[in-house]
Amino acid sequence: MKNDIKTREDVFLLVSGFYKKVRQNPEIGHFFNEVIKDWDAHFEKLTDFWESNLFFKATYKGNPQKVHVKVDQENNQEISNYHFGIWLNLWFETIDELYEGELANRAKNNARKMSSHLYLKMFQARENKA
């Protein structure tokens, strides 16, 4: 039996392992590799995000919706729900490789909700530009 996500270090291991897969993925890697210049800082920021999300700590400062809308616009509004599906599958795969339990399941459920929300906000921003 695997352990559940319990600490910031566990979250960092999840985030860094996940983004290693994302960066190498031929279908979505370029969205990230072209935008993110300092991966160490990005890992810290996303660890803050997921630590806040899973442990209800107020460590994250940022606006994911704004960032994703900007990245979509910089990519000719080509990011689709298909790309979010790949992202989500890689997230689930990484969680399943490392953890199991209540917080592991929460990380999956929260990512599912977040990906739907972010895609809808990106789509709405497209409509508002027209």
Side-chain angles (χ1 to χ4, degrees):
M1 180 172 187
K2 297 177 188 133
N3 291 324
D4 202 355
I5 302 168
K6 295 178 184 162
T7 65
R8 179 178 176 85
E9 291 74 24
D10 292 341
V11 175
F12 182 84
L13 182 64
L14 171 59
V15 166
S16 59
F18 166 68
Y19 276 99
K20 181 179 181 183
K21 293 177 185 184
V22 166
R23 292 173 74 182
Q24 296 171 351
N25 185 280
E27 296 178 278
I28 65 171
H30 66 279
F31 294 124
F32 297 87
N33 292 321
E34 292 170 7
V35 172
I36 300 164
K37 303 303 178 205
D38 184 347
W39 277 96
D40 290 336
H42 193 65
F43 290 156
E44 286 301 318
K45 186 173 203 86
L46 289 173
T47 299
D48 288 348
F49 175 83
W50 284 104
E51 182 181 39
S52 297
N53 194 287
L54 296 174
F55 303 135
F56 307 112
K57 291 184 176 184
T59 53
Y60 177 73
K61 308 281 187 275
N63 185 335
Q65 179 179 311
K66 183 178 177 182
V67 171
H68 285 80
V69 166
K70 183 177 183 248
V71 171
D72 184 54
Q73 290 170 349
E74 291 171 353
N75 284 277
N76 300 315
Q77 300 177 331
E78 293 176 358
I79 299 175
S80 71
N81 59 352
Y82 173 75
H83 297 114
F84 274 93
I86 293 168
W87 181 92
L88 203 55
N89 285 336
L90 291 173
W91 180 251
F92 282 21
E93 177 184 291
T94 308
I95 291 170
D96 288 342
E97 288 169 359
L98 298 171
Y99 305 109
E100 64 183 357
E102 181 182 342
L103 287 179
N105 288 331
R106 185 184 304 160
K108 290 178 183 180
N109 291 332
N110 290 358
R112 187 181 296 115
K113 291 175 198 172
M114 181 185 66
S115 65
S116 297
H117 174 78
L118 288 174
Y119 180 69
L120 288 173
K121 291 301 179 181
M122 285 172 31
F123 190 76
Q124 287 173 339
R126 292 175 187 176
E127 291 178 348
N128 292 336
K129 277 190 86 175

